[in-house]
Every structure is written in structure tokens, then in C-alpha cells.
Amino acid sequence: MNEYVIRPVRADEWAKVKELRLAALKDPAAPVAFLETLEQGEAKSDELWQERAAGAATGSGIRQFVAEGPDGEWVGTVSVLVEGAGTTDIFDGEIEQAQAHFVGVFVRPAQRGIGLTEALFGAAMEWAWGLEEPVLARVRLFVHEENARAGAFYRRFGFRASGKVVPMPTDPSAKELEYVFPRPA
């Protein structure tokens, strides 16, 4: 684990952002882990990937963290979206309090189980709690009802089911379960 560096993406790293996202969308768990298909990801223009990387590197509303191996390969990621009170979320629900929303969680299969997800979440949490404005009340994420592996990790990390359930936008017969991590006192 010590050979990996956990850090935010830089604006000029759009090609690596794209490659890692497409690798995530090829993963067998992708249909229950992401709200995007491989075909949708591959159809995005390089300009869009450039904008995505720039926003995730410098914006105050989003930050993407990666786990980088000693050879420079990116092996994991998590993105943090800042959701302001009174805005609408990706499920068309009203945001009642300022919060962070973790999305796009992925670690390549060969590196799973060595602590990278914990390290990525640690960096993402540190960034979220360190924001001066808005002060975030909690961090949340959604997990597909059939993604037991991810749900088990989130609970081990300290997230708890809030009881909020929303239909999956790509398949309204499936459910996404909200997990929350309140701001430490």
C-alpha cells in the first residue's frame, strides 16, 4: 500500500481520467455501480473529458481523487460532489443541507483489498470536512440494492443507511440506497 500515492487529479490529466473511467465501466460490477454505460462513456468527446478533469482538479464544487501506482498507473478513484442546501441532486431530490456526495468509486480488481478504497475515502473525507464554505453537515453516497460488496465496505468505513431509497435512473425497478456519514463532532 505504501507504494501508492493518493492525490487529487490535475487539469491536464484528462486522458488518464478518461482511461480509468472507461476501465470502471468495463468492470463486471458496472451495471450496479454506475449510472453510465461503457457505450455512453466511450461516446464522450475529448473536450468533455478535458472539462471534466479541469473541473475536478480546480473547482470548489467537485474534486476527484486517484490512487497512483509507482509506475504512474491510476488504479483507483473517488469523486466528491458538493451539494448546496436548496439545490436539486442527480435523482431530482431537494438537498436539505450542505453535504458532500461521493460518486464514481472504483479500484481496479488487481488492487482490491489492500486498503486503497480506505485511503481514497480518507483523502476525500479530509477534503470535504476541510471546506470552509459551505460547511458540510454530512457525506453521502448511494449504493445499488444488489451491490452487496460495496454496501459492506461503506458500512465498515462508518457509513450508515439513512432509510432513503430512490429508483435507479437507468432502471426504475431497481433501488439505490442512501448511506450517510455525519460530520464528526
Side-chain angles (χ1 to χ4, degrees), residues 14-181:
W14 68 270
K16 285 188 167 188
V17 168
K18 176 182 177 179
E19 187 281 325
L20 189 59
R21 178 61 175 183
L22 295 179
L25 294 174
K26 291 175 185 172
D27 189 273
V32 296
F34 305 112
L35 300 179
E36 178 179 42
T37 65
L38 177 59
E39 293 75 23
Q40 290 168 326
E42 290 175 332
K44 288 183 166 70
S45 68
D46 286 349
E47 181 178 85
L48 189 135
W49 289 108
Q50 292 164 0
E51 291 170 8
R52 181 181 273 189
T58 60
S60 59
I62 184 170
R63 187 62 41 107
Q64 182 178 2
F65 292 88
V66 294
E68 183 176 36
D71 59 357
E73 181 186 26
W74 287 7
V75 298
T77 186
V78 63
S79 292
V80 185
L81 307 177
V82 176
E83 298 176 322
T87 63
T88 303
D89 68 14
I90 60 173
F91 297 107
D92 292 326
E94 184 177 338
I95 306 297
E96 297 176 7
Q97 57 192 330
Q99 61 192 10
H101 187 163
F102 286 9
V103 298
V105 179
F106 175 70
V107 172
R108 293 183 194 269
Q111 285 80 24
R112 291 180 185 158
I114 64 169
L116 288 177
T117 310
E118 290 87 347
L120 285 161
F121 270 46
M125 287 279 195
E126 183 178 336
W127 182 81
W129 299 142
L131 289 173
E132 292 182 16
E133 211 36 62
V135 174
L136 304 178
R138 67 184 191 164
V139 172
R140 74 172 182 162
L141 51 79
F142 284 87
V143 62
H144 189 284
E145 63 187 339
E146 294 180 14
N147 196 345
R149 181 177 54 95
F153 169 79
Y154 301 144
R155 288 188 300 277
R156 264 193 332 275
F157 193 84
F159 282 84
R160 297 292 170 250
S162 71
K164 181 176 182 175
V165 178
V166 297
M168 189 171 180
T170 56
D171 177 8
S173 69
K175 295 175 179 46
E176 292 276 330
L177 314 174
E178 182 187 57
Y179 280 60
V180 298
F181 192 113

